[in-house]
């Protein structure tokens, strides 16, 4: 029986494979249209009884099959669209040689082997390898790879694969190279790159004295944009040694920058493939945010060398084991390299804006999914970001020093194996000295826990009592780390502690501030010490105290955000613009605090429409936008002088990536933002001048974005100025496309104009993200009452379904919030999604997402 492509994979049905292939020799005879691939496997039976052998294969042209060198009779195997079945293998161990043909240039899905620019490259996670060659394509099948690559020297002067280069030669105009990876790995970690690439080189000396060669390969013209990537890589290598004692295990580490890439990057052993936007950067063409993203992602993929490669997955259900763990590692690294409070604020903001809504919507799933149809659809913010929060929770519960020991134990104990989250948790419990109650339930429970806090005063003991309840504990009670602090009414900190909450309820008792029972001010779950939503009805006065004096900068920031959200909630309920004085008082206080400039810039940043709507549970975007404009203009006019002074104080910046200069740019930019909301419009020319004079992309692009947001009369000048300067830089133009459609009403016509722009390409994922994803994240246009946003996007998804199913499915996920909208919008969305569901050539990626969202409408 041949496995079906529409099969639902269930966690409960997982079984080890009956066959495995511990060694493989691959040969690639490269051609843009007709590449021949030959795989020579050692095949070994894993059970006592010989059973049928199935090898996955999709979109392959079968050529031949041999066992121990002899051609097999076609009647002894079956070739289908999903692979090859050998019903009666001859013996428990044999050599299996299979040849097939593929067309890299015709592969627009960007999975398997495909063409990008002047190169051929691979993307095999999770199941792209089966689009290259027939194989046992599952993560628990670990292989040692020897790879021979052959192709014309003029087309493929550079040929790369995992591991070590053993041999290279040129014969009759063809180049041939041999690579060998000494470490066994699953097929998803295999990589191949070939093409006209420029090699850049650096070195790193490990703490044991080994000299590692570092190489970054780019397309010609980009060689000057790799120095920051090299610096980031070396910082990550040193940090992993210093923090966890993990030294790189090969003599060569390579990165390739790829223009056409569905993901951010891929951790293939020793040969990382990166979306070019996460490698290439200089002060002229990259923002501070881009630099930090490069720092984090390069670290992330490097850290996978141990958490994902040396110890990998037993099955795809455990994807969060490598991704959540490695996200936490790159977050920890970035905190150490930048500002811990600011980095944590960014991570929590991302969690609240993207992961919490996913947890509350139709796409909700546990970080360990119970089933899937198409694994590509489970590379979600839940698996990555919530998975990282659960790992962070472990570090909160046992402490970071024990966490380091636990990770070292885990990696040494399971080196070279495919494991599950259970092996990781058990390693942490071993160093902790005992079981961590309810920790495993975090892997099985979907949704963001909502903790309800009720408080009352007990006169006899003169105590305030807080009862905390996990309102959705049900069959999956959890463990929480509650980092808390107690303040008096003047903001003096009285007590700090970390408290373990095990199970559905906890009670905390605090002494009153005096004999009259005056209540202390309590800060709970500081820095979001557990990934929860908190229902705690604190007064405005209490929140303002925390917003001013909380010593934990993360909790101070979110206390101020909570004051802002309360104002929106009250204003929407009353239909009036409620008293805004408490917000203004808190901002005024911040000017005298002498905070770090980057932190202060975040503190002053006003939340966007999506943040506001998700936090107050209201999706009437027109009303929220009106209130938001009122609020920002109020701040702008109240503090015009302060913003002007700060702007001028920080105007002259040096285009380098130091903490001081990043802070100056951010603080200057936020001041400019508020000044542009001044009703007099007198600062708009200042923004254009700022754009013209900018020495760093953070200054230049911010001015354009702000002018577009306020619908300035100078916006066309700004947009044209930006384009003329950057029209020859594809990556910078992504920012240009996104800025024009990402905010404001009626952006559909602009989107239609831009998709006809000669430099827009629907086959390039970065362009699709910059235009269509930005539009879908603009609630004023996407959720417009007439449904035009839904219809437009659905039509583009139809096109993408034919070109790149992964991108089509990812874009469709942005329909998830439509069930929350009012009026006819849910009906319109349902109609559009039903049309997509009925497409005759519907991809399995898109079909699964459409079906899931339709169940909520």
């Amino acid at each position: 029986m041949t496995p079906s492509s529409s099969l639902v994979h269930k966690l409960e049905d997982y079984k080890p494979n009956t066959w495995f292939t511990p060694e493989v020799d691959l040969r690639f005879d490269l051609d843009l249209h007709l590449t021949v691939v030959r795989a020579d496997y050692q095949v070994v039976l894993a059970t006592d009884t010989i059973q049928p052998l199935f090898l996955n294969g999709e979109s392959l042209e079968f050529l031949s099959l041999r066992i121990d060198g002899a051609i097999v009779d076609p009647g002894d195997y079956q070739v289908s669209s999903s692979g090859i079945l050998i019903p009666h293998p001859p013996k428990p161990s044999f050599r299996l040689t299979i040849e097939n043909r593929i067309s890299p240039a015709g592969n627009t899905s960007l999975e398997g082997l495909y063409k990008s620019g002047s190169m051929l490259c691979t993307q095999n996670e999770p199941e792209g390898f089966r689009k290259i060659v027939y194989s046992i394509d599952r993560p628990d099948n670990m292989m040692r790879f020897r790879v021979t690559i052959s192709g014309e020297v003029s087309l493929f002067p550079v040929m790369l694969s995992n591991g070590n280069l053993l041999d290279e030669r040129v014969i009759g105009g063809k180049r041939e190279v041999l690579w060998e990876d000494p470490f066994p790995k699953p097929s998803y970690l295999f990589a191949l790159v070939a093409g006209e690439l420029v090699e850049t080189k650096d070195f790193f000396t490990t703490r044991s004295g080994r000299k590692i060669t570092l190489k970054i390969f780019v397309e010609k013209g980009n060689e000057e944009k790799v120095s920051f990537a090299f610096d980031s890589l070396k910082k990550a290598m040193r940090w992993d040694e210093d923090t966890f004692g993990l030294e790189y295990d090969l003599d060569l580490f390579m990165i390739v920058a790829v223009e056409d890439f569905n993901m951010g990057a891929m951790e293939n052993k020793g040969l990382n493939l990166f979306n070019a936007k996460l490698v290439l950067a200089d002060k002229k063409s990259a923002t501070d945010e881009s630099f930090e993203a490069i720092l984090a992602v390069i670290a992330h993929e490097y850290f996978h060398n141990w958490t994902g490669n040396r110890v990998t997955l037993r099955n795809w259900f455990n994807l969060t084991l490598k991704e959540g763990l490695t996200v936490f590692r790159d977050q920890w690294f970035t905190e150490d390299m930048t500002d811990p409070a600011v980095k944590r604020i960014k991570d929590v903001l991302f969690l609240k804006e993207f992961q919490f809504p996913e947890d509350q919507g139709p796409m909700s799933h546990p970080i360990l999914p119970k089933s899937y149809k198409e694994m590509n659809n489970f590379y979600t913010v839940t698996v990555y970001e919530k998975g990282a929060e659960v790992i962070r929770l472990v570090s909160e519960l046992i402490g970071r020093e024990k966490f380091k020991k636990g990770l070292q134990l885990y990696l040494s104990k399971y080196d070279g194996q495919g494991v599950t989250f259970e092996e990781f948790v058990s390693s942490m419990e071993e160093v902790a000295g005992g079981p961590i109650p309810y920790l495993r339930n975090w892997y099985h429970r979907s949704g963001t826990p909502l903790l309800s806090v009720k408080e009352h005063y007990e006169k006899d003991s003169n105590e305030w009592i807080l009862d905390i309840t996990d309102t959705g504990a049900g069959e999956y009670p959890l463990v929480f780390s509650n980092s808390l602090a107690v303040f008096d009414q003047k903001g003096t900190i009285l007590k700090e502690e970390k408290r373990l909450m095990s199970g559905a309820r906890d009670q905390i008792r605090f002494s009153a501030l005096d004999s009259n029972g005056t209540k202390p001010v309590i800060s709970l779950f500081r820095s979001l010490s557990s990934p929860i939503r908190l229902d705690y009805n604190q007064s405005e006065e209490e929140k303002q105290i925390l917003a001013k004096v909380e010593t934990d900068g993360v909790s101070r920031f979110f206390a101020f955000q909570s004051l802002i959200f309360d104002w929106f909630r009250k204003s929407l309920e009353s239909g009036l613009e409620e008293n805004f004085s408490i917000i203004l008082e808190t901002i005024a206080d911040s000017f005298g605090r002498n905070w770090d400039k980057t932190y202060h810039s975040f503190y002053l940043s006003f939340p966007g429409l999506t943040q506001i709507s998700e936090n107050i549970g209201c999706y009437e975007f027109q009303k929220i936008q009106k209130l938001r404009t009122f609020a920002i203009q109020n701040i702008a006019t109240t503090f015009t002088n302060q913003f002007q002074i700060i702007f001028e104080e920080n105007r002259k910046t040096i285009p380098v990536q130091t903490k001081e200069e990043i802070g100056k740019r951010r603080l200057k930019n936020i001041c400019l933002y508020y000044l542009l909301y001044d009703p007099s419009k007198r600062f708009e020319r200042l923004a254009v001048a700022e754009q013209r004079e900018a020495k760093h992309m953070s200054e230049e692009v911010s001015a354009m974005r702000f002018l577009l947001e306020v619908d300035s009369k100078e916006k066309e000048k700004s947009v044209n100025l930006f384009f003329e300067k950057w029209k020859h830089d594809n990556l910078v133009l992504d920012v240009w496309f996104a800025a024009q459609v990402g905010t404001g009403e009626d952006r559909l016509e602009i989107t239609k104009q831009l998709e006809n722009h000669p430099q827009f390409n629907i086959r390039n994922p970065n362009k699709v993200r910059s235009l269509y994803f930005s539009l879908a994240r603009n609630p004023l246009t996407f959720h417009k009452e007439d449904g035009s946003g839904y219809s437009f996007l659905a039509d583009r998804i139809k096109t993408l379904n034919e070109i790149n199913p992964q991108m089509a499915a990812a874009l469709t996920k942005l329909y998830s919030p439509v069930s929350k909208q009012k009026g006819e919008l849910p009906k319109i969305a349902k109609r559009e999604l039903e049309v997509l569901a009925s497409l005759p050539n519907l991809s399995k990626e898109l079909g699964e997402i459409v079906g899931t969202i339709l169940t909520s409408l």
Side-chain angles (χ1 to χ4, degrees), residues 637-695:
T637 54
T638 303
F639 300 110
T640 301
N641 290 339
Q642 287 93 327
F643 290 139
Q644 283 183 281
I645 291 168
I646 295 173
F647 179 86
E648 291 300 331
E649 285 176 347
N650 295 278
R651 190 167 188 177
K652 293 181 180 180
T653 66
I654 303 170
V656 293
Q657 296 310 116
T658 63
K659 184 177 178 180
E660 175 65 20
E661 295 303 316
I662 291 170
K664 287 171 69 175
R665 285 191 289 271
R666 276 202 59 93
L667 193 54
K668 176 181 71 168
N669 285 341
I670 199 64
C671 291
L672 178 62
Y673 178 79
Y674 281 113
L675 291 172
L676 287 173
Y677 268 91
D678 188 298
S680 70
K681 305 291 185 183
R682 58 193 168 112
F683 296 104
E684 292 182 0
R685 289 187 179 179
L686 174 64
V688 176
E690 180 72 2
Q691 182 180 340
R692 287 185 185 277
E693 298 165 9
K695 295 176 181 170

Side-chain angles (χ1 to χ4, degrees), residues 201-205 211-215 230 234 237:
K201 187 186 293 188
D202 205 337
F203 299 93
F204 176 80
T205 303
K211 188 175 183 180
I212 311 298
T213 301
L214 311 177
K215 294 183 178 181
F230 273 126
K234 288 186 285 187
M237 296 175 82

Side-chain angles (χ1 to χ4, degrees), residues 279-298:
V279 176
L280 306 177
D282 59 26
K283 64 189 180 185
K284 295 178 181 177
S285 63
T287 64
D288 290 319
E289 289 73 19
S290 296
F291 278 111
E292 187 171 314
I294 290 169
L295 176 74
V297 176
I298 281 187

Side-chain angles (χ1 to χ4, degrees), residues 295-359:
L295 176 74
V297 176
I298 281 187
H300 179 97
E301 305 308 330
Y302 173 75
F303 296 156
H304 265 313
N305 184 64
W306 285 93
T307 52
N309 294 4
R310 286 285 290 262
V311 179
T312 191
L313 309 174
R314 188 170 300 164
N315 54 53
W316 287 118
F317 299 100
N318 282 275
L319 178 61
T320 197
L321 171 65
K322 75 179 183 77
E323 294 301 348
L325 174 56
T326 308
V327 168
F328 172 62
R329 280 172 20 87
D330 83 54
Q331 289 174 347
W332 185 347
F333 164 77
T334 310
E335 287 175 7
D336 285 352
M337 295 298 114
T338 57
D339 181 291
V342 169
K343 172 58 178 167
R344 185 60 182 153
I345 287 170
K346 291 178 182 177
D347 291 340
V348 175
L349 282 173
F350 187 88
L351 195 74
K352 290 188 173 188
E353 187 168 351
F354 297 102
Q355 197 281 315
F356 282 13
E358 182 170 276
D359 253 353

Side-chain angles (χ1 to χ4, degrees), residues 409-421:
L409 174 65
Y410 164 73
L411 294 173
S412 62
K413 200 170 185 179
Y414 302 106
D415 192 8
Q417 299 180 45
V419 298
T420 71
F421 81 96

Side-chain angles (χ1 to χ4, degrees), residues 498-539:
K498 280 192 177 182
R499 184 180 178 91
L500 182 144
M501 175 178 166
S502 181
R505 290 178 179 80
D506 190 25
Q507 185 179 85
I508 315 176
R509 306 172 78 94
F510 300 102
S511 298
L513 294 177
D514 52 36
S515 58
N516 298 319
T518 302
K519 181 182 165 188
V521 180
I522 313 299
S523 183
L524 299 173
F525 295 93
R526 303 167 86 199
S527 289
L528 199 70
S529 53
S530 297
I532 58 156
R533 291 181 299 137
L534 195 62
D535 179 14
Y536 183 19
N537 189 26
Q538 286 181 298
S539 68

Side-chain angles (χ1 to χ4, degrees), residues 619-635:
Y619 301 89
E620 297 181 79
F621 295 111
Q622 297 288 347
K623 291 182 179 179
I624 296 173
Q625 175 68 358
K626 186 178 177 181
L627 285 170
R628 186 176 183 273
T629 301
F630 165 83
I632 297 175
Q633 286 180 340
N634 204 333
I635 295 170

